[in-house]
Amino acid sequence: MPLARSLSVTSLSGLEEWDEEFDLEDAVLFEIAWEVANKVGGIYTVIQTKARLTAEEWGENYFLVGPYVESNVRTQVELIEPTNPALKSTIDKMNRSGCKVYFGRWLIEGSPYVILIDVGFTAWSLDRWKSELWENCAIGVPWFDREANDAVLFGFLTAWLLGEVRGHTPPHILAHFHEWLAGLGLVLCRQRQLPVATIFTTHATLLGRYLCAGNVDFYNNLAEFNVDKEAGDRQIYHRYCLERAAARCAHVFTTVSQITAIEAEHLLKRKPDIVTPNGLNVKKFSAMHEFQNLHAQSKNRIQEFIRGHFYGHLDFNLDKCLFLFIAGRYEFSNKGADIFLEALARLNYLLRVNHSDVTVIAFFIMPARTNNFNVETLKGQAVRKQLWDTAQTVKERFGKKLYESLLVGQLPDVSKMLDKEDFTIMKRAIFATQRQCQPPICTHNMLEDSSDPILNCIRRIGLFNSSADRVKIIFHPEFLSSTSPLLPMDYEEFVRGCHLGVFPSYYEPWGYTPAECTVMGIPSISTNLSGFGCFMEEHIADPSAYGIYILDRRYRGVDESCNQLTSFLFQFCKQSRRQRIIQRNRTERLSDLLDWRYLGRYYISARHMALVKLFDLHPLLDASGFRYPRPASVPPSPALSRHSSPHHSEAEDNDDEDERYDEDLEAEKDRMNIRQPVALPFKNKAYTVYGANGDGATTEKN
């Protein structure tokens, strides 16, 4: 099969046998998660982005099941009557029995059907269902844990729904449960012996997250933990029991990465049957250079914010300024904010002693408890706007005088074009920019300033945005929004405007943040303890050549890892502008690797595996050896054919060519390269593609 730029799921090898042996019209798929139409965490992104592909595969037989949250439904869901008679009968029966179940379409790509259950309306059954859970499963849930109570209600209602549906729908029912909050429904399906094929996916183990947050040497002691004691000490034993029971009862158990598979095997006492990596819906631009143009536009907007934030202390060149960022939940150690700050302090020292003219601005986008914007930060943006208005006023006056001079046929006397009033206006504006204090570190007023981990670490390392520092820090303790009066940008726009994403996580089952960077053509740093980092190490021979830097946090001490991160950052700062442009080109070419069109095969295989186990269908599809095509314009592997970045030259430092020109030049080189055989740098496999017209052959060698 010749490799093409875009490969549809239906053209993947092995799926033809599925179509011949098993008709999906004889099956119905329910995907159950607390994050269906309810944005709580990263699982929401998984389900939302994967829905289009799954809806295309299953059509009218695909239903998402989640909790009814009125505020979310108003904006995300169109409530309609069920089109399936069996499902309509089931929902009507449950509603007559004292439940509130809603049906509609989720207003996302693919417009999948959703069944939303109001768990609060059925709270009167909580004590009875808790007693049943204790009698049948020996799991006790304390009254004060509201989240666990919701999981009990949601689990029993989900099992009730599946039990009612069983009598009316096609003979094969498949139920896919995500995380412990939905897992009880799976346990009840097995306990009640419902003929439903079940899959359980854990995106992160409960106990693993708690242990890592407690600064435990987690990965080197996985086999040594007394899991029952550890869960009890952290008062999550009942949650742990729900999670472990779901993992053990499922026909097929999956997790999102190999590193989490190892964790699950030790903590949940079951080895996952298959790893299902998380993907994204990748949108390709018709013009190859368009993502570079978007980077330039977003970078300019960030620069405007920087001009206001550092007013009065803008003693560095914005054209030689690099924007780094870390984003996610505020888990100081788990997300690697601690090691990032320490590396920034060491980077600051290296840049100063080497007399570098590069300035690094590191953004920390992590939500914390605040009461409002920092007054000094808001003032900075107001001063910037005032200076802009002053410049526009003087420009208009200057332009009018210039026009009048040209009208009378005289060359203007530049020394007389600006009069005393113009100078007075400009002096007043300059006087207004004088600042006695340093630019603020935090953009908001923190409620717990004295105990905040990031602020305390900044105080320890002494990075206070002083003029002598080559590394500046901006802590934005709130998610980004286009309606913000401070930094009016969506997260996607902000990421596109940055130069490097830094995610040195200690505990990161997958890592959507570096994946999103890759899709947008932004280089990133992740670790070999993150699912994304392990995935890239497995499938790419030389990730760093493509702007994917993998930090070793598994086999090195903290200080060694910090030195390695500092080295990555320092080498990135030494790149020329042209080198960064070419690196972004290469990073963006890996986006196909993270497309659901490819990664969705693992979920297809997991669903098939579950149907085989319960209904004894034809032999199982094998998801191993999946081939990841690369974009048609990709050059030969930098790891094999040339340096990961072009050789540095002094001429490039003074190169004022715009980014679009550089992109076109690089694309033209790529078009020339693909006319020759291309060696794809995937480990343990050798693929050769001949020609740019699709003709050629594919070979595999172990």
Side-chain angles (χ1 to χ4, degrees):
M1 181 182 69
L3 296 180
R5 180 173 180 82
S6 179
L7 187 65
S8 68
V9 171
T10 54
S11 67
L12 293 173
S13 59
L15 294 188
E16 295 81 0
E17 289 81 354
W18 170 285
D19 292 333
E20 293 174 5
E21 300 288 342
F22 183 70
D23 190 350
L24 287 181
E25 290 184 1
D26 293 332
V28 61
L29 170 62
F30 292 91
E31 192 158 7
I32 300 129
W34 190 258
E35 286 80 359
V36 170
N38 181 36
K39 189 169 185 178
V40 177
I43 303 171
Y44 175 90
T45 305
V46 177
I47 295 170
Q48 181 199 37
T49 56
K50 185 171 64 67
R52 183 183 69 180
L53 183 70
T54 313
E56 289 176 2
E57 178 192 355
W58 288 78
E60 299 289 306
N61 291 345
Y62 174 50
F63 304 95
L64 286 158
V65 182
Y68 176 83
V69 181
E70 186 175 355
S71 59
N72 295 334
V73 170
R74 281 200 299 264
T75 57
Q76 298 184 38
V77 178
E78 177 192 4
L79 296 177
I80 59 175
E81 285 294 318
T83 55
N84 186 312
L87 199 57
K88 178 174 173 50
S89 174
T90 296
I91 292 175
D92 289 342
K93 183 177 179 180
M94 291 183 68
N95 285 336
R96 289 194 301 269
S97 302
C99 301
K100 270 195 175 181
V101 183
Y102 301 84
F103 186 86
R105 281 195 181 274
W106 194 1
L107 303 178
I108 59 174
E109 287 188 88
S111 300
Y113 289 126
V114 289
I115 302 169
L116 303 176
I117 302 172
D118 191 341
V119 296
F121 191 79
T122 326
W124 52 272
S125 300
L126 181 60
D127 290 339
R128 174 166 59 88
W129 285 342
K130 277 188 179 182
S131 298
E132 184 179 337
L133 180 62
W134 173 255
E135 291 168 4
N136 295 329
C137 304
I139 298 175
V141 177
W143 62 270
F144 56 81
D145 190 341
R146 181 174 179 178
E147 197 171 21
N149 289 337
D150 287 343
V152 171
L153 293 168
F154 188 57
F156 272 88
L157 289 166
T158 301
W160 185 356
L161 175 74
L162 294 174
E164 293 290 344
V165 167
R166 179 65 191 91
H168 304 88
T169 56
H172 305 107
I173 296 180
L174 178 61
H176 189 163
F177 298 81
H178 292 267
E179 281 294 322
W180 73 275
L181 277 164
L184 180 57
L186 186 154
V187 177
L188 293 171
C189 285
R190 298 304 303 276
Q191 188 264 329
R192 297 173 181 177
Q193 299 183 351
L194 297 179
V196 176
T198 57
I199 304 172
F200 181 68
T201 297
T202 181
H203 297 258
T205 68
L206 271 169
L207 189 54
R209 192 178 294 281
Y210 274 82
L211 286 169
C212 287
N215 294 321
V216 172
D217 187 4
F218 181 65
Y219 293 98
N220 290 324
N221 294 285
L222 269 174
E224 311 299 328
F225 289 118
N226 182 338
V227 291
D228 294 314
K229 180 181 182 302
E230 296 291 350
D233 289 345
R234 287 158 178 79
Q235 299 184 5
I236 58 166
Y237 186 68
H238 54 290
R239 298 185 180 196
Y240 169 73
C241 288
L242 291 173
E243 182 182 39
R244 182 168 169 176
R248 299 295 296 273
C249 290
H251 290 105
V252 173
F253 175 44
T254 82
T255 189
V256 296
S257 65
Q258 195 59 49
I259 193 72
T260 312
I262 297 170
E263 174 189 341
E265 184 177 359
H266 287 92
L267 300 186
L268 300 180
K269 307 304 179 184
R270 179 175 177 180
K271 184 178 181 179
D273 299 288
I274 187 173
V275 172
T276 51
N278 291 334
L280 290 162
N281 290 325
V282 178
K283 297 179 181 178
K284 289 290 184 182
F285 296 106
S286 56
M288 291 180 59
H289 59 259
E290 184 60 29
F291 82 97
Q292 293 277 16
N293 293 341
L294 291 175
H295 165 75
Q297 294 167 14
S298 297
K299 182 180 69 175
N300 289 337
R301 295 182 64 183
I302 296 175
Q303 287 178 338
E304 282 301 297
F305 167 78
I306 295 300
R307 289 186 175 98
H309 192 83
F310 288 90
Y311 84 91
H313 294 273
L314 201 62
D315 50 3
F316 50 89
N317 186 354
L318 279 176
D319 290 332
K320 292 185 178 294
C321 193
L322 298 180
F323 301 138
L324 280 53
F325 80 100
I326 182 174
R329 286 189 303 273
Y330 196 170
E331 297 177 7
F332 184 64
S333 298
N334 281 0
K335 294 297 182 183
D338 52 351
I339 193 173
F340 184 29
L341 282 168
E342 183 62 38
L344 287 174
R346 300 181 186 188
L347 175 66
N348 183 56
Y349 172 78
L350 289 175
L351 293 176
R352 290 175 64 178
V353 299
N354 286 278
H355 304 290
S356 174
D357 59 354
V358 172
T359 300
V360 171
I361 297 182
F363 290 88
F364 286 74
I365 313 295
M366 292 181 160
R369 296 181 61 199
T370 65
N371 60 16
N372 213 327
F373 293 106
N374 187 309
V375 173
E376 188 64 26
T377 307
L378 287 173
K379 180 183 175 183
Q381 300 309 311
V383 168
R384 178 192 60 79
K385 188 176 183 305
Q386 182 182 359
L387 288 174
W388 173 259
D389 292 341
T390 300
Q392 295 303 306
T393 301
V394 174
K395 184 178 76 172
E396 290 176 4
R397 292 166 59 89
F398 183 92
K400 185 178 179 181
K401 294 173 184 176
L402 177 62
Y403 172 64
E404 291 174 348
S405 177
L406 295 176
L407 279 177
V408 298
Q410 295 180 356
L411 290 175
D413 185 352
V414 179
S415 63
K416 297 180 180 179
M417 295 300 290
L418 294 177
D419 56 26
K420 186 176 181 181
E421 184 177 354
D422 293 325
F423 281 103
T424 301
I425 293 174
M426 291 188 288
K427 286 180 180 179
R428 285 174 178 170
I430 294 173
F431 181 74
T433 65
Q434 293 182 356
R435 196 181 207 172
Q436 301 302 320
C437 60
Q438 297 283 7
I441 297 289
C442 187
T443 58
H444 292 61
N445 295 322
M446 301 290 290
L447 289 180
E448 299 170 354
D449 183 289
S450 60
S451 59
D452 184 80
I454 288 180
L455 294 181
N456 280 338
C457 187
I458 291 172
R459 294 180 185 113
R460 179 179 62 81
I461 61 180
L463 287 179
F464 299 120
N465 293 344
S466 67
S467 298
D469 290 329
R470 297 267 50 83
V471 173
K472 322 282 186 180
I473 294 178
I474 298 176
F475 180 23
H476 190 280
E478 193 176 76
F479 285 131
L480 296 168
S481 170
S482 58
T483 59
S484 170
L486 195 64
L487 184 55
M489 299 180 73
D490 288 329
Y491 177 73
E492 180 179 338
E493 293 177 292
F494 176 80
V495 172
R496 285 193 183 278
C498 289
H499 296 93
L500 180 70
V502 185
F503 314 104
S505 306
Y506 184 75
Y507 185 79
E508 189 69 80
W510 174 245
Y512 257 121
T513 42
E516 289 165 341
C517 285
T518 303
V519 168
M520 288 185 269
I522 303 301
S524 64
I525 297 175
S526 57
T527 73
N528 58 358
L529 294 181
S530 72
F532 174 84
C534 293
F535 180 82
M536 285 300 182
E537 277 193 321
E538 179 184 357
H539 292 285
I540 303 297
D542 185 11
S544 61
Y546 293 87
I548 309 294
Y549 300 94
I550 310 297
L551 185 67
D552 185 1
R553 295 203 65 182
R554 190 172 187 183
Y555 303 109
R556 298 191 184 194
V558 176
D559 189 62
E560 290 179 292
S561 297
C562 191
N563 283 335
Q564 186 186 19
L565 177 56
T566 306
S567 176
F568 285 159
L569 297 176
F570 187 57
Q571 293 302 318
F572 187 82
C573 291
K574 290 166 66 176
Q575 288 184 4
S576 68
R577 184 166 173 265
R578 179 174 175 79
Q579 287 174 313
R580 293 196 302 271
I581 291 168
I582 294 174
Q583 188 178 61
R584 284 197 295 273
N585 290 336
R586 293 177 181 169
T587 303
E588 193 271 341
R589 290 190 189 102
L590 296 180
S591 59
D592 282 345
L593 199 62
L594 301 169
D595 197 335
W596 274 123
R597 291 287 175 182
Y598 308 143
L599 297 185
R601 174 177 172 84
Y602 292 101
Y603 276 94
I604 293 173
S605 184
R607 291 192 286 264
H608 189 197
M609 190 183 296
L611 290 168
V612 167
K613 284 191 175 182
L614 184 62
F615 300 114
D616 195 26
L617 300 176
H618 68 342
L620 178 67
L621 283 172
D622 185 9
S624 63
F626 179 45
R627 298 172 183 175
Y628 297 93
R630 303 180 68 196
S633 64
V634 71
S637 165
L640 302 176
S641 64
R642 62 183 179 186
H643 293 273
S644 61
S645 296
H647 289 295
H648 179 76
S649 69
E650 293 298 327
E652 287 174 348
D653 288 340
N654 300 319
D655 189 1
D656 292 330
E657 295 175 317
D658 61 36
E659 297 187 6
R660 176 167 177 169
Y661 176 83
D662 287 334
E663 159 60 29
D664 288 343
L665 182 62
E666 182 69 11
E668 181 61 31
K669 291 180 181 178
D670 294 349
R671 284 191 288 272
M672 295 173 65
N673 281 328
I674 62 171
R675 300 183 186 278
Q676 304 298 326
V678 177
L680 303 186
F682 296 120
K683 289 183 177 178
N684 303 323
K685 296 182 178 66
Y687 303 113
T688 305
V689 184
Y690 295 95
N693 57 1
D695 298 329
T698 302
T699 61
E700 178 174 347
K701 179 176 67 178
N702 291 324

